[in-house]
Amino acid sequence: MLNTSKKSDISREKSAELYKKAKQYFPGGVNSPVRAFKSVYGTPLFIERGDGCFIWDADGNQFIDFCCSWGPLILGHNHAKIREKVTQTLERGLSFGAPTALENELAELILEHNKYLEKIRFVSSGTEAVMSAIRLARGYTGRDKIIKFEGCYHGHSDSLLVKAGSGLVTFGETSSAGVPKSFADETIVIPLNDRKAVETAFTQFNRQIAAVIIEGVPANNGLLIQEEAYIHFLRDITKQNKALLIFDEVITGFRMGFEGAAAHYGVQPDIITYGKIIGGGMPVGAYGASAELMGHISPDGGVYQAGTLSGNPVAMAAGIAQLTELRSNNFYKNLNTKAEEFVVAIQEFVAAKNYTFKVFHIGSIFWFAFTNQENIRAARDIDHSSMDYYKVFHRELLNRGVYLGPSGYEVGFISAAHNKVELEKAQQAIFESLEVVFG
Ligand SMILES: *Cc1c(COP(=O)(O)O)cnc(C)c1O
C-alpha cells in the first residue's frame, strides 16, 4: 500500500533551468549517469556549496547530506584543514608532471599505518586504480581471466562492465554497449555468497584465472554484507589456485578504519585498490601490493601504467590533510558509534510501526532497504519492486531537508561533520517520510 500522494515540494526552479541548459551540453545533462535523477522524482538538484554536513542547491534549499560526494567526504564538506592545505599548495602551481615531496608524504602516511601494503601507485580515479590492478594481476600471473561478483561495481573499464550470463558459471555478458564480447569472455561473473559457484569456476577455468576481485564490502548495489568466513574462503581458494585476490577498497578504504576491509576481516589481499576518501574530495585513486608484486609495474617491470596528472600536488595535499585527520585518536570509534546510534533509533521506530523497512549498516555506511529480509548478501536477493517505495521516500526526504543518493541501490555515508543535532533532525525527517510512504 504505497502512498504516492504528494505534499508541497521544495522549489527546484533554478535547478530546472540549469538542467535544461546542461542537457544541451551533456548527454542526459550530466557528467555521470546517476546524477540525472532517473530513478527518483523531479529534476536533479544543482549544488552550489557545501559546509560540514550541509549542502545548498541553486534554489537556496539546505539539506543534511548523506551522499557526501558518494563517500569521499568522511570529514564533511569544506573542512578547514583540507581547504588550508589545498590553498597553500595551489599557490605554488597546479601540476608539474615531475615528482613532488607531497607524493612521498601521502605514501608514507598510508604505508606506515597499513600492514597490508608495501608499495603503492597513485592514479586519478577508482576506475583507473582497478583497471591497473587487473592488468597487474594478469601481467604477474600470465593468465587472462578474472572472476567478479554480480552486484559489485569496480568502475567503468571494459573488463568490468560485464554482468552475469545465464547459468551458474558462464562467461559474462557486456553490461554496456561498446564493450567487445571478447573482453567479456575474459570475465566470469558469479553470485556473491555462493561458495559452490567459486569452486565450479576454478574447476572449469583452472590455470586461466588471474584474479578474483571483490569490493571490501559490496556497497554499490545495496549493502551486501558478506560473512567473514566467506572472505577467508576466497583467500584460501585463490591461494590454492595461484590466482590473486584483489580487494577493491575504493569505498571501504579509510572508511572502515585506516586499514579498511583487509583489517576488518584480518585477510591479506594480494592487491588493494583505493579511491574516494584517499583524495579528500579531489580526484585520486591508488593501488598497492607487496613490493615484489609492485615490482612488476613500469618502469621497474613490464606492466605499463602511467598518468599525466597522477600524484597531482593539489590532490595529494587534499589527501594528506584528510588522512591526517583520520589518524587522530578514536576517529573511527566516534564516527561508528554515532552511526550506530543513528541506525538503531531508526530501527526502533520501524519495528514499533511494523514497517517493511530495514537499515543495513557497517561502520558509517548504511543502506535503507524496503524489505523484511534479515540479511541480503547477493544482488539477486534484492526485490526490485521495493525501489518504488524508495522513490517516494527520496522525494519526501528532500522536502524535509535530507539529501540521499538518487537511487535506492545506493548506500549513504555518515561523516564526522554529522553532529547529534543534525542526525536527530534527519531521523525526524526519516520518520515523517516513512509515514508518508506507508501512509
Ligand atoms: C566508486 C567506485 C569505483 C570507481 O571509482 P571512480 O573514482 O568513480 O572511477 C570503483 N570501485 C568501487 C568499489 C567504487 O565504489
Side-chain angles (χ1 to χ4, degrees), residues 317-387:
I320 292 163
Q322 174 144 286
L323 298 201
T324 302
E325 290 301 299
L326 305 187
R327 294 291 313 150
S328 64
N329 271 345
N330 292 331
F331 177 86
Y332 290 102
K333 193 165 157 258
N334 294 340
L335 180 63
N336 293 348
T337 304
K338 218 158 49 172
E340 175 82 24
E341 285 169 4
F342 175 68
V343 168
V344 166
I346 300 169
Q347 298 284 32
E348 282 171 359
F349 173 82
V350 168
K353 293 274 187 176
N354 226 349
Y355 288 154
T356 304
F357 183 82
K358 206 170 147 83
V359 193
F360 292 95
H361 87 112
I362 188 160
S364 52
I365 312 174
F366 65 85
W367 178 43
F368 291 146
F370 288 85
T371 182
N372 276 330
Q373 286 162 270
E374 196 52 43
N375 293 303
I376 301 186
R377 303 201 196 276
R380 54 183 59 175
D381 295 336
I382 300 175
D383 171 13
H384 301 298
S385 67
S386 70
M387 295 303 156

Side-chain angles (χ1 to χ4, degrees), residues 7 341-353 355 357 359 368 370 393 396-397 400 402 423-439:
K7 289 204 182 166
E341 285 169 4
F342 175 68
V343 168
V344 166
I346 300 169
Q347 298 284 32
E348 282 171 359
F349 173 82
V350 168
K353 293 274 187 176
Y355 288 154
F357 183 82
V359 193
F368 291 146
F370 288 85
F393 184 55
E396 293 303 317
L397 281 175
R400 290 167 177 79
V402 172
L423 287 173
E424 278 171 9
K425 265 193 195 159
Q427 266 161 18
Q428 201 52 46
I430 289 163
F431 298 164
E432 287 176 26
S433 299
L434 285 172
E435 277 165 357
V436 174
V437 170
F438 292 107

